[in-house]
Amino acid sequence: MKKRKFYGFATSVTLAGVLLLSGCGSVGEKTSGSGIEKKTIKVAHYFAEDHPQNIALKEKFKTQVEKESNGELEVQIYANSTLGAEKEFYDGVRNGTIEMGIPGLIMQADIPKMGVPEWPFLFRDFEHVKSVLNGPIGEELTADLNPKHGVTPLAWSANGFRMFSSNRTIESMDDFDGLRLRMPNIPNYIKLGESLGTNVSPLPISEVFTALEQKVVDAQENPIATLRSSGWNEVQSDVLESKHMFSPNIYIINSKFFNGLTKEQQKIIETAAKEAAAYEFELLEQSYEDDKKFLQDNGIKFTTPDERFTQEMVEATQPVYDEVFAENDWAKELVGKIKAE
C-alpha cells in the first residue's frame, strides 16, 4: 500500500458550528421511493482533515454505512473540533445532540477504567495495543460507558505512542531533572512527569508553540504526528523515542439513537466502525516512519533509549501505579492481565 503523509489534530473550535448544529439530532426524511425515514449521523472529532482518523472515517465508515444501508443512513463528518472541543462534543454525544464522536479518554474522570490504556509503559507495541483493546479487556474497560454516560462503544482507534520532544537532548534520567515539561492537565499525566523529575506545566495544546518559542517550557510530549503538524519542530531540537504512554481514541454513539435503529442498521454501523478503526490503526502505523523522516530532514535529532534507560524510566514512574493501585482494588490484577497478553 502506498504510504501517505498524515498530520495531527487541530484544536480550534468553531463556535458558530456548535450553535448551528448542536441540537439538530437526526434528520427525518424519506429515502427515495422507500417510505423509510432517512437518518443522519453526525460524527465529531478533533483531528485535522488529513489525519488518519478523518481519512478512515471518510474512506471506510461513511462509505460503508451509506452503501450498506442503501441510503437510509447518511454520515456527516465534522473534523477540526467543528462541533466543539473534546469535552463539548463528548457531552453532545451523551445528550444526543450529536449522534457519534471519536474522543480520547476524557471520560476517565467518571469512569476510572477508561484511563487504564494511558498508564505509563503499559503497552509494548501496536500489536499488543490491538490485542488488548480489541479483546475481552477492551470490553471490560468500556463496560460502564452505556450505563453511566449513555453512550455505546463501537471500536477502539489510535492516536499513538507519546514521546518527549525538547530543546535539548535527553539521554539519561539526569536530563529530566528540572526540565520544564508541558503536559495536559490530567492527573496521571502530571504524576508521570513529576515522577521523572520534571517541572510540569499544565497548558492547553493551543499554547504549546508559544510556550516553547518563548522558552516558558523546555519540552512537551505527544505522538510525533502532532509534533509535525503543529510545527513544534521549528522551536525544538530533539525527540526521545520514549513511548512512555499510548493514547487511544474510541468510536462512541449515543445509546438512545443507536437503540432506535433497526438491528440491521446497528450491525452495519458496528461493522463499519470496526473496519474503519482497524484501517486507521494501519494508516497511523505507516505514518510514523514518514513523520520521523520529515522531522529528521528538518533538523530534529531522534534518540532511542537503550534498555537500561527505559527500565529506569519504568521504575521512576512506579508511583503512578502505586497511586492507582491504592485507589482501585481492581487495578493491579488488570495491569497484570494486560502485560501478560
Side-chain angles (χ1 to χ4, degrees), residues 21-33:
L21 292 163
S22 63
C24 292
S26 58
V27 177
E29 61 180 78
K30 307 295 184 182
T31 57
S32 180

Side-chain angles (χ1 to χ4, degrees), residues 16-148:
V18 179
L19 295 174
L20 177 65
L21 292 163
S22 63
C24 292
S26 58
V27 177
E29 61 180 78
K30 307 295 184 182
T31 57
S32 180
S34 69
I36 299 174
E37 183 179 289
K38 179 179 180 180
K39 293 182 182 292
T40 299
I41 304 171
K42 298 189 297 294
V43 186
H45 65 86
Y46 51 68
F47 292 92
E49 294 278 353
D50 49 4
H51 188 279
Q53 288 284 7
N54 199 59
I55 290 171
L57 281 169
K58 289 193 301 183
E59 294 186 2
K60 293 290 185 180
F61 184 77
K62 176 179 171 66
T63 301
Q64 191 165 321
V65 167
E66 293 180 345
K67 178 181 177 182
E68 296 298 322
S69 70
N70 295 316
E72 293 174 11
L73 301 174
E74 178 188 4
V75 176
Q76 297 177 355
I77 301 167
Y78 296 90
N80 287 322
S81 299
T82 308
L83 298 188
E86 184 180 20
K87 184 182 187 306
E88 284 71 36
F89 76 70
Y90 182 70
D91 287 345
V93 179
R94 288 185 65 183
N95 64 38
T97 58
I98 302 170
E99 288 73 35
M100 279 187 63
I102 320 289
L105 304 185
I106 191 170
M107 66 294 290
Q108 63 183 277
D110 294 335
I111 305 174
K113 283 189 179 180
M114 285 299 295
V116 171
E118 290 188 322
W119 291 352
F121 299 103
L122 189 58
F123 294 108
R124 297 183 295 274
D125 49 35
F126 276 103
E127 290 306 311
H128 186 206
V129 171
K130 288 185 282 188
S131 175
V132 170
L133 296 184
N134 293 330
I137 294 174
E139 293 178 2
E140 178 181 347
L141 299 181
T142 60
D144 286 335
L145 280 176
N146 182 29
K148 289 190 175 182

